[in-house]
């Protein structure tokens, strides 16, 4: 299979490489009050702990630009400033230390304003600019030409914005062309990938709440990534930013573009269950994900969390480390051999200890 991902130009967003064969990165957008530095940093740190690589913050006014600078000083991740209409906010965000900008050059005030932003970005070590086009941001003449936000319309709009930056002799660019449904998203990115070598930011805009948004995003982005299209992704959800990150990380794992996390299987539960299997399975996944981020070369045993004494013990024997629920307790198995029975409240720590000591 051909891999356009390796043919894109590489840009640098802070310490994060995007494009040119660099690992596909996961990003999200903070949705806390852009004037509340504490709330923003809480979201950024939570996203970082879940495996995020890059966070975008909206900068709607000069006061938010000041807060952006304070957040940037403390952020563990590179930050992109999201700017609309007012080029002065882009300049303020750059002064505040933005690692990247998200703007549409055609709507910030004309060629002289674009030139001012480009010169400021160039002076600050070539800060990259993302051109972000979606169905709701198309120019009137583009909509009139195509009749609606077709894939062709999205790509034409994006390339118009690209031309404005290229006219200013600036090429530190990445592009997104997001539609709100899977077929248009696929078609638009395939068209765009064939027309440009700039790195591509993948996403489905306005994808929805957790379940439908996850499904739409994974279908569209997964297909594109498997074709070698895409250098960075955001799973846009009507939810907390950390949930976007968790889905994005798992998506990259599922298509082989990020190291696998904890190998955890769990039963769907039934009326026989007398322990909190759902809570235990989620807690095991979260605890082991943190462990493997800190110890990426550690062995990755298959861990199973089973709910009852009917099928649990038999199924648990097929895992490296497993627990099978009883009444308020779990039976622990290691490599298929029963070890001991644990109170429910001690089980999570014991599973983590077994994983840390596992030698394969």
């Amino acid at each position: 299979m051909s891999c356009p991902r390796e043919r894109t130009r590489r840009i640098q967003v802070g310490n994060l490489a995007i494009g040119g064969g660099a690992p596909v990165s996961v990003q999200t957008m903070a949705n806390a009050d852009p004037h509340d530095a504490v709330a923003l940093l809480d979201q950024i740190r939570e996203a970082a702990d879940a495996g995020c690589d890059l966070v975008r913050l909206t900068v709607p006014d000069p006061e938010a630009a000041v807060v952006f600078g304070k957040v940037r000083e403390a952020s563990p991740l590179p930050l992109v400033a999201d700017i609309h209409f007012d080029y002065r906010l882009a300049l303020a965000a750059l002064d505040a230390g933005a690692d990247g900008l998200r703007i549409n050059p055609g709507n910030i005030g004309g060629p002289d304003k674009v030139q001012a932003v480009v010169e400021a970005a160039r002076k600050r070590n070539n800060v990259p600019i993302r051109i972000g086009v979606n169905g709701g941001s198309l120019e009137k003449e583009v909509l009139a030409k195509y009749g609606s936000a077709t894939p062709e319309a999205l790509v034409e709009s994006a390339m118009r914005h690209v031309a404005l930056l290229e006219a200013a002799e600036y090429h530190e660019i990445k592009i997104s062309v997001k539609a709100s449904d899977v077929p248009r998203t696929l078609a638009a990115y395939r068209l765009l990938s064939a027309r440009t070598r700039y790195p591509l930011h993948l996403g489905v805009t306005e994808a929805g709440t957790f379940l439908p948004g996850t499904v739409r995003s994974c279908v569209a982005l997964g297909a594109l990534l498997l074709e070698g299209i895409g250098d960075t992704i955001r799973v846009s959800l009507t939810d907390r930013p950390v949930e976007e990150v968790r889905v994005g990380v798992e998506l990259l794992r599922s298509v082989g573009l990020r190291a696998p996390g904890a190998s955890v299987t769990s039963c769907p539960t039934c009326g026989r269950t007398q322990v909190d299997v759902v809570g235990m399975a989620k807690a095991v996944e979260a605890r082991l994900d943190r462990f493997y981020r800190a110890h990426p070369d550690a062995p990755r045993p298959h861990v199973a969390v089973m709910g009852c004494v009917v099928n649990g013990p038999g199924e648990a024997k097929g895992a490296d480390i497993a627990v099978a629920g009883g009444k308020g307790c779990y039976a622990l198995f290691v490599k298929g051999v029963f070890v001991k029975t644990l109170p429910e409240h001690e089980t999570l720590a014991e599973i983590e200890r077994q994983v840390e000591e596992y030698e394969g």
Side-chain angles (χ1 to χ4, degrees):
M1 174 170 41
S2 63
C3 192
R5 185 177 302 113
E6 295 180 356
R7 293 191 286 105
T8 57
R9 295 183 75 251
R10 179 168 293 197
I11 60 173
Q12 200 73 26
V13 185
N15 60 6
L16 179 68
I18 296 177
V24 177
S25 55
V26 173
Q27 56 183 276
T28 188
M29 185 171 185
N31 58 15
D33 182 349
H35 307 96
D36 187 339
V38 173
L40 291 168
L41 280 167
D42 283 346
Q43 289 192 336
I44 292 167
R45 288 169 178 147
E46 186 177 40
D49 191 52
C52 189
D53 302 298
L54 181 65
V55 176
R56 180 160 46 111
L57 306 183
T58 186
V59 182
D61 51 50
E63 292 76 19
V66 173
V67 173
F68 184 100
K70 295 177 181 178
V71 173
R72 181 64 199 89
E73 289 179 359
S75 174
L77 298 176
L79 299 184
V80 172
D82 189 86
I83 308 294
H84 292 280
F85 307 119
D86 190 343
Y87 84 103
R88 292 170 297 183
L89 294 174
L91 299 179
L94 288 168
D95 284 340
D99 299 292
L101 294 177
R102 189 274 194 182
I103 64 172
N104 283 340
N107 72 14
I108 60 169
D112 58 329
K113 308 298 190 297
V114 173
Q115 188 67 42
V117 172
V118 164
E119 289 307 316
R122 200 190 316 270
K123 290 177 182 177
R124 287 163 179 79
N125 202 29
N126 293 319
V127 168
I129 295 173
R130 173 161 75 90
I131 293 167
V133 174
N134 59 51
S137 69
L138 295 181
E139 300 90 334
K140 291 180 181 179
E141 59 270 27
V142 173
L143 278 174
K145 177 179 178 179
Y146 291 96
S148 64
T150 65
E152 294 79 7
L154 291 167
V155 172
E156 180 169 322
S157 176
M159 297 311 293
R160 285 185 173 201
H161 292 295
V162 167
L164 291 173
L165 292 182
E166 290 180 333
E169 299 183 349
Y170 204 65
H171 303 279
E172 303 306 306
I173 300 168
K174 65 179 184 287
I175 313 172
S176 65
V177 283
K178 298 181 181 181
S180 57
D181 58 83
V182 172
R184 282 189 303 151
T185 298
L186 289 172
Y189 277 106
R190 286 167 177 160
L191 285 171
L192 185 61
S193 179
R195 289 191 57 178
T196 183
R197 291 185 63 247
Y198 292 118
L200 303 185
H201 166 87
L202 302 186
V204 178
T205 192
E206 301 161 353
T209 53
F210 186 83
L211 180 59
T214 293
V215 172
R216 292 182 188 122
S217 296
C218 288
V219 170
L221 275 57
L224 292 167
L225 290 167
L226 286 170
E227 294 174 18
I229 298 172
D231 302 283
T232 182
I233 67 169
R234 178 191 175 192
V235 176
S236 298
L237 300 175
T238 309
D239 211 309
R240 295 187 302 146
V242 70
E243 299 302 333
E244 297 187 347
V245 175
R246 288 172 177 153
V247 175
V249 168
E250 197 59 38
L251 171 56
L252 292 186
R253 287 172 175 164
S254 72
V255 295
L257 293 174
R258 185 167 286 209
S263 176
V264 179
T265 58
S266 56
C267 75
T269 75
C270 68
R272 295 188 296 267
T273 306
Q274 298 182 75
V275 286
D276 181 12
V277 174
V278 175
M280 181 64 70
K282 289 181 177 179
V284 168
E285 287 181 342
R287 187 77 65 90
L288 297 189
D289 273 348
R290 287 196 294 272
F291 172 73
Y292 286 123
R293 281 198 298 277
H295 306 88
D297 297 325
R300 296 173 186 262
H302 174 198
V303 178
V305 180
M306 299 300 167
C308 75
V309 296
V310 175
N311 297 318
E315 294 172 351
K317 289 180 180 179
D320 298 307
I321 299 165
V323 291
K327 186 175 182 181
C329 63
Y330 283 93
L332 172 68
F333 297 82
V334 177
K335 295 185 177 180
V337 178
F338 171 76
V339 177
K340 58 183 173 181
T341 298
L342 296 160
E344 187 170 5
H345 69 277
E346 296 179 6
T347 302
L348 177 60
E350 179 64 24
I351 292 173
E352 185 173 26
R353 186 182 72 82
Q354 292 288 340
V355 169
E356 290 175 356
E357 296 178 357
Y358 188 80
E359 296 180 353

